[in-house]
Amino acid sequence: MKKKWMKRMISASVTAAMLVGSMSAAMVAQAEEEFDWRAYEGTTIEIQMVQHTASEAMVKKLEEFEELTGIHVEYSITPESSYFDKVSTSLASGSGSPDLFMSGAYQLWDYSAAGYVEDLSTYLNDPSMLMPDYDYDDFVQSAVDALKWSGVPGEPVGSGAQLGLPLAFEVYVMAYNTRAFEQVGVEVPKTIDELLEVSEKLQGWNGENSYGVAVRGARDWGTIHPAYMSWFAQFGAKDFVVEDDQLVSQVNSEEAVAMTEFFVDLVKRGGTPSWSKYTWYDCGVDLGTGNAAICIDADNNPVHQNWEGASEEAGNIAFAPMPKVTADCPQTSNYWTWSIAMNSASKNKGAAWYYIMYFTSKDYAKFATTEANVLDPCRTSVWESPEFEELMACQPGYIDAFNATIDNTTILFTPQPYFFETTTEWAATLQDIVAGEYDSVQEGLDTLKETMDEAVSDIDLSLY
């Protein structure tokens, strides 16, 4: 029986709502003139990082940061499979270690509800704590909004405390093997009906183990948040709604059932028999080896397979927006953001903020993207730079697919502190539906609704 969950985080006061851009010109000028990179010289800070190109890029610039600031940085890098367990244990200790940690937005809902996350609005709204030309407004707006939350379950992201600042993010698109499409004689699908037909025709396109479309299927939360959740929203389905001060699951609605029936059909007609084991990594690798003709996943995933010499099919991979439910519906996508956040118990908050500021700055973002393969860039100035355009010239359709998608991209889940419990159960139910363990999709989702309602039953919104 889980302990009753009560509100442990109030949305950070008025400062969380203040606009960074509201500082007067005089205040900004004074801050730039007086800014002291050596203000925390001699301080040692600790950061926990996940194994990722974003962490590798930071490590490459640590010596430069230490020379600039006099701040010493101790770091650890942990594979994602065990990373969040490590962070959770460290934060729960209350020791203040680590000062900083990498996180996704979903994890920050849990950590902030427990009071573990510093609101970065405090620093963003203090002119004396901002480096010259930090330029908060240069961030891709949806990337920073994805990391804001009021702390009230059921309220969407985009307002409230700034729980972290982005290092990299991803939207969900379709990558495809141009050689496979030419060989089989199919066109790039623009709707899900076309996708079903095309992926079925591509089965066996490159030999016995090759297949049409790779999507995630492993028994964990990561299966639900990319392609599945993006289509889920396009169908008009919702995971939760608020009724009588309670979160109520809607995963068995008419729209949710129709979407899941489509997804199951896609897996069976165009997918791999090994779908239930597939993660981010497997989807990308299968596209690169020529096993999969299509990969519907994070836009940055196939990029790593398409650099010259990176895989057998490098040079044959192109990008397009995810096929839509109907031709005239919005190009909707869910969102994932790797961010850097501060431990609210840190004893070195000033130095920790300097680290965040440096490693989310415009200059660093440009380096991380153009020289260290950190995608997608979180700064608009990077997207608009000729260096980035030149870099991505060998990734046909990547920028166009992003531009077609980003305006309707946000976190589509309902924020709540049992996100991982409910989405992991969701993935398990999806596996069972595909395996035929329910008589119908409706039966499986009815059972899932009961489980999800129980998981969030101790959240009483009248307390907020």
Side-chain angles (χ1 to χ4, degrees):
M1 194 89 170
K2 70 167 103 64
K3 295 179 180 178
K4 183 171 178 66
W5 185 82
M6 301 288 288
K7 180 184 74 169
R8 285 169 283 183
M9 186 190 100
I10 302 294
S11 176
S13 67
V14 178
T15 52
M18 291 173 60
L19 294 175
V20 175
S22 65
M23 296 183 294
S24 70
M27 292 171 66
V28 172
Q30 181 181 7
E32 291 185 357
E33 182 179 344
E34 297 177 355
F35 190 80
D36 180 11
W37 275 111
R38 311 291 291 188
Y40 300 97
E41 184 174 2
T43 305
T44 297
I45 59 173
E46 179 187 350
I47 177 170
Q48 290 182 356
M49 305 180 192
V50 69
Q51 192 170 39
H52 190 273
T53 54
S55 56
E56 294 166 2
M58 286 192 286
V59 169
K60 290 178 181 177
K61 286 289 187 177
L62 278 182
E63 183 177 351
E64 181 178 298
F65 171 76
E66 290 181 332
E67 289 177 356
L68 174 67
T69 63
I71 297 168
H72 176 64
V73 180
E74 296 179 352
Y75 70 93
S76 62
I77 297 178
T78 306
E80 188 173 350
S81 59
S82 56
Y83 174 72
F84 288 111
D85 288 341
K86 177 179 179 179
V87 171
S88 298
T89 300
S90 298
L91 295 177
S93 74
S95 66
S97 174
D99 300 283
L100 299 164
F101 58 98
M102 285 177 62
S103 182
Y106 310 142
Q107 288 83 2
L108 289 174
W109 300 341
D110 190 8
Y111 298 152
S112 62
Y116 299 153
V117 184
E118 183 82 356
D119 178 9
L120 300 182
S121 299
T122 302
Y123 308 94
L124 290 166
N125 286 287
D126 183 351
S128 69
M129 294 297 286
L130 285 176
M131 62 181 281
D133 195 34
Y134 183 69
D135 195 2
Y136 177 89
D137 292 336
D138 181 59
F139 279 110
V140 175
Q141 187 63 48
S142 54
V144 289
D145 283 351
L147 298 165
K148 292 179 182 177
W149 185 42
S150 66
V152 179
E155 291 191 357
V157 299
S159 63
Q162 187 76 59
L163 302 177
L165 285 171
L167 295 168
F169 67 90
E170 59 191 44
V171 300
Y172 301 107
V173 303
M174 178 175 65
Y176 62 97
N177 188 309
T178 57
R179 182 171 71 85
F181 274 55
E182 292 170 6
Q183 179 177 308
V184 178
V186 293
E187 299 293 325
V188 176
K190 296 181 179 179
T191 66
I192 60 173
D193 288 339
E194 293 173 357
L195 176 63
L196 284 170
E197 294 177 9
V198 167
S199 59
E200 189 169 29
K201 289 179 180 178
L202 287 164
Q203 290 286 40
W205 75 275
N206 198 28
E208 183 179 356
N209 294 320
S210 61
Y211 61 99
V213 59
V215 289
R216 299 189 210 183
R219 211 175 185 88
D220 63 56
W221 64 272
T223 285
I224 302 301
H225 86 93
Y228 184 96
M229 194 62 189
S230 299
W231 279 317
F232 192 79
Q234 278 194 26
F235 269 80
K238 296 180 180 296
D239 54 351
F240 290 97
V241 296
V242 176
E243 295 179 359
D244 298 325
D245 291 323
Q246 295 289 321
L247 288 178
V248 179
S249 173
Q250 297 287 295
V251 293
N252 65 338
S253 68
E254 180 180 347
E255 296 84 359
V257 170
M259 182 272 151
T260 305
E261 287 174 341
F262 150 69
F263 193 86
V264 171
D265 200 18
L266 179 66
V267 171
K268 290 182 174 180
R269 288 170 58 180
T272 171
S274 302
W275 165 81
S276 63
K277 300 177 182 177
Y278 268 53
T279 64
W280 184 95
Y281 175 82
D282 301 294
C283 292
V285 167
D286 269 15
L287 186 68
T289 59
N291 285 341
I294 299 171
C295 172
I296 300 182
D297 203 86
D299 58 346
N300 55 21
N301 187 354
V303 168
H304 301 303
Q305 303 295 325
N306 206 34
W307 299 121
E308 184 178 357
S311 70
E312 291 93 323
E313 296 297 325
N316 294 325
I317 297 171
F319 297 79
M322 274 183 63
K324 298 189 294 183
V325 175
T326 61
D328 57 353
C329 76
Q331 191 69 54
T332 305
S333 173
N334 195 34
Y335 217 12
W336 171 262
T337 306
W338 275 118
S339 70
I340 185 166
M342 188 188 303
N343 186 348
S344 61
S346 167
K347 299 176 177 63
N348 306 296
K349 291 181 180 179
W353 166 248
Y354 270 37
Y355 183 99
I356 294 176
M357 179 174 53
Y358 178 91
F359 286 101
T360 59
S361 67
K362 289 193 292 186
D363 287 346
Y364 173 77
K366 189 172 184 179
F367 157 79
T369 300
T370 60
E371 298 184 46
N373 204 21
V374 178
L375 300 170
D376 291 333
C378 295
R379 290 285 193 161
T380 301
S381 56
V382 178
W383 282 98
E384 295 176 348
S385 69
E387 293 91 340
F388 182 65
E389 185 174 346
E390 181 180 355
L391 175 71
M392 304 311 291
C394 63
Q395 306 285 350
Y398 167 86
I399 292 178
D400 289 341
F402 174 86
N403 287 335
T405 305
I406 189 61
D407 287 347
N408 289 302
T409 295
T410 188
I411 291 179
L412 299 171
F413 292 100
T414 301
Q416 47 90 9
Y418 299 127
F419 171 83
F420 295 101
E421 180 178 340
T422 53
T423 49
T424 297
E425 188 62 36
W426 199 343
T429 301
L430 183 60
Q431 277 194 359
D432 292 343
I433 291 171
V434 172
E437 296 187 20
Y438 293 99
D439 290 337
S440 66
V441 170
Q442 183 74 65
E443 181 187 3
L445 295 183
D446 285 345
T447 301
L448 176 63
K449 172 189 165 51
E450 293 177 4
T451 303
M452 291 176 74
D453 282 341
E454 173 61 25
V456 301
S457 61
D458 64 353
I459 299 175
D460 182 356
L461 295 176
S462 68
L463 298 175
Y464 291 83

